[in-house]
């Protein structure tokens, strides 16, 4: 019997904390190296820390992809008028399901998965696109190892298309549609798109931005270069600050191989992958 590993939960607690899982369970082999490739192969749990692990058996194994959604009145999502873009799905649709139960229109993007496995289980108000977000347009081949996820299925060899924010918006005929919640979990590609996203009002309407940041490249950098690259990351994030976004929540992804050991002190270890929730408050933008 074949089994496709979707994670699906009933419409319970749709806000507060929604958890999905993407990088932690899969062995995603990209055929060409990514510049800031985080470690996505088998993860060792550093610590069990998830308050919502009761949602599903699979989620118990998840160490990343908890998504916070802020329900303060000035930024709350309106169930009768909310559009969500969710970049980076894997086969975990938990976040997307919760938000569609809530009433939001979900636009889900992932170029690395076999889309026919996902299309058949889409919920109302969910739309899937076999597209990835990047700074340029190209395609790329991915090998998805189902076996690594415990599925009795052969590997999926998938050609995924990457495109720019502007092209994706045009493709969806969304040039004038505000995105109320933007989720970006794209395994290191975020550094390539922040600049574009932060310019020319592209994030108009976005009041909540949940982004997983990957800085694990520092683990293999010479010690004297680490500060330089961290400053480079920081400057990239300033694009968001200039657009009025403020950090509201930080949650580290505590995975053994993404921990950075501070030189000279082996007990001082810091996570290099983490989730941030940014909010842009008030009526402007
Ligand atoms: C939905 O919300 C946006 C603001 O985010 C607003 O411009 C638009 O008019 C609203 N649409 C409806 C149908 O209320
Ligand atoms: C991938 O892109 C190349 C050009 O870069 C194109 O020739 C090819 O048809 C594309 N493949 C797919 C499957 O879209
Ligand atoms: C994608 O999944 C379908 C089953 O849903 C399977 O028949 C097909 O071979 C898979 N495609 C690839 C490219 O692996
Ligand atoms: C090493 O790091 C730990 C954890 O941050 C800290 O408590 C300790 O004081 C550090 N030791 C030295 C010698 O700096």
């Amino acid at each position: 019997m074949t089994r496709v590993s979707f994670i699906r939960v009933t419409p319970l607690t749709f806000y507060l904390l929604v958890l999905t899982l993407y990088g932690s369970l899969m062995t995603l082999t990209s055929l060409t190296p990514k510049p800031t490739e985080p470690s996505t192969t088998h993860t060792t749990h550093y610590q069990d820390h998830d308050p919502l692990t009761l949602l599903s058996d699979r989620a118990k194994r998840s160490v990343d992809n908890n998504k916070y959604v802020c329900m303060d009145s000035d930024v709350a999502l309106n169930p009768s008028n909310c559009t969500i873009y969710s970049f980076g799905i894997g086969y975990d649709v938990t976040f997307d399901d919760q938000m569609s139960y809530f009433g939001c229109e979900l636009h889900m993007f992932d170029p690395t998965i076999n889309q026919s496995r996902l299309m058949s289980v889409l919920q109302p108000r969910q739309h899937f696109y076999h597209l990835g977000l990047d700074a340029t347009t190209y395609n790329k081949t991915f090998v998805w190892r189902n076996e690594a996820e415990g599925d009795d299925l052969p590997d999926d060899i998938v050609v995924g298309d990457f495109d720019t924010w502007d092209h994706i918006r045009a493709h969806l005929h969304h040039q004038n549609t505000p995105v109320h919640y933007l989720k970006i979990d794209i395994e290191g590609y975020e550094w390539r798109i922040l600049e574009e996203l932060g310019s020319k009002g592209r994030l108009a309407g976005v009041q909540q931005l949940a982004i997983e940041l990957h800085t694990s490249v520092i683990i293999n950098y010479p010690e004297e270069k680490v500060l330089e690259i961290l400053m480079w990351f920081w400057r990239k994030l300033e694009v968001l600050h200039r657009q009025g976004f403020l950090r509201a929540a930080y949650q580290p992804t505590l995975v053994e191989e993404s921990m950075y050991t501070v030189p000279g002190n082996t007990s001082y270890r810091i996570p290099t992958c983490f989730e941030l929730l940014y909010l842009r408050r008030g009526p402007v933008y």
Side-chain angles (χ1 to χ4, degrees):
M1 197 194 103
T2 58
R3 180 168 61 87
V4 176
S5 50
F6 288 99
I7 296 172
R8 178 140 276 144
V9 295
T10 50
L12 305 166
T13 49
F14 41 73
Y15 54 81
L16 298 180
L17 173 64
V18 180
L19 136 171
T20 61
L21 131 164
Y22 176 43
S24 63
L25 296 184
M26 67 187 185
T27 305
L28 170 65
T29 310
S30 144
L31 296 185
T32 52
K34 296 180 201 170
T36 56
E37 177 75 70
S39 179
T40 55
T41 50
H42 287 292
T43 54
T44 314
H45 286 217
Y46 193 70
Q47 181 186 310
D48 279 325
H49 64 99
D50 212 320
L52 279 194
T53 47
L54 59 156
L55 288 179
S56 81
D57 283 337
R58 300 279 313 213
K60 277 182 195 154
R61 293 160 55 195
S62 170
V63 288
D64 71 348
N65 293 319
N66 298 329
K67 304 298 170 202
Y68 286 104
V69 180
C70 181
M71 297 306 276
D72 284 2
S73 57
D74 60 332
V75 293
L77 298 171
N78 173 355
S80 62
N81 178 7
C82 62
T83 301
I84 296 180
Y85 281 14
S86 176
F87 288 100
I89 308 293
Y91 289 106
D92 181 350
V93 291
T94 311
F95 166 78
D96 312 88
D97 282 359
Q98 295 292 322
M99 300 318 288
S100 68
Y101 295 143
F102 179 61
C104 294
E105 194 80 19
L106 264 291
H107 297 277
M108 301 151 66
F109 303 84
D110 200 315
T112 70
I113 63 173
N114 178 344
Q115 62 179 326
S116 65
R117 300 198 196 283
L118 192 63
M119 291 309 239
S120 56
V121 298
L122 287 181
Q123 297 294 295
R125 297 182 287 278
Q126 289 182 345
H127 312 272
F128 179 76
Y129 310 88
H130 201 237
L131 277 173
L133 181 60
D134 204 345
T136 55
T137 301
Y138 61 97
N139 62 43
K140 184 166 166 176
T141 304
F142 295 91
V143 180
W144 187 284
R145 303 204 185 285
N146 289 300
E147 197 190 331
E149 299 222 31
D151 288 316
D152 183 20
L153 292 169
D155 292 350
D156 285 324
I157 300 183
V158 170
V159 178
D161 289 321
F162 285 78
D163 216 332
T164 62
W165 174 262
D166 285 352
H167 286 170
I168 289 173
R169 298 276 286 162
H171 176 74
L172 270 58
H173 305 292
H174 269 186
Q175 289 95 332
N176 300 312
T177 305
V179 176
H180 300 98
Y181 188 101
L182 175 58
K183 184 208 102 177
I184 298 177
D185 185 355
I186 55 178
E187 304 301 318
Y189 283 63
E190 64 273 12
W191 302 111
R192 312 202 315 209
I193 51 116
L194 278 170
E195 219 143 318
E196 186 195 0
L197 280 190
S199 59
K200 292 198 204 125
R202 287 187 173 89
L203 298 180
V206 178
Q207 288 186 302
Q208 302 196 36
L209 167 63
I211 186 165
E212 185 170 68
L213 295 176
H214 304 85
T215 67
S216 57
V217 287
I218 65 167
I219 293 170
N220 297 315
Y221 260 62
E223 184 183 335
E224 66 279 9
K225 292 272 181 196
V226 165
L227 191 56
E228 197 178 304
I229 182 122
L230 288 175
M231 285 164 70
W232 184 88
F233 287 135
W234 183 260
R235 281 194 295 274
K236 290 275 175 191
L237 292 176
E238 282 181 340
V239 164
L240 297 175
H241 299 179
R242 283 197 292 278
Q243 297 293 312
F245 288 98
L246 296 174
R247 287 184 304 280
Y250 160 84
Q251 191 179 33
T253 305
L254 298 172
V255 172
E256 179 64 26
E257 63 265 35
S258 73
M259 299 301 285
Y260 177 71
T261 303
V262 174
N265 184 346
T266 49
S267 57
Y268 192 3
R269 309 185 74 218
I270 50 179
T272 61
C273 295
F274 43 92
E275 297 268 356
L276 291 181
L277 176 69
Y278 282 92
L279 297 180
R280 190 156 58 171
R281 317 207 75 136
V284 276
Y285 315 109

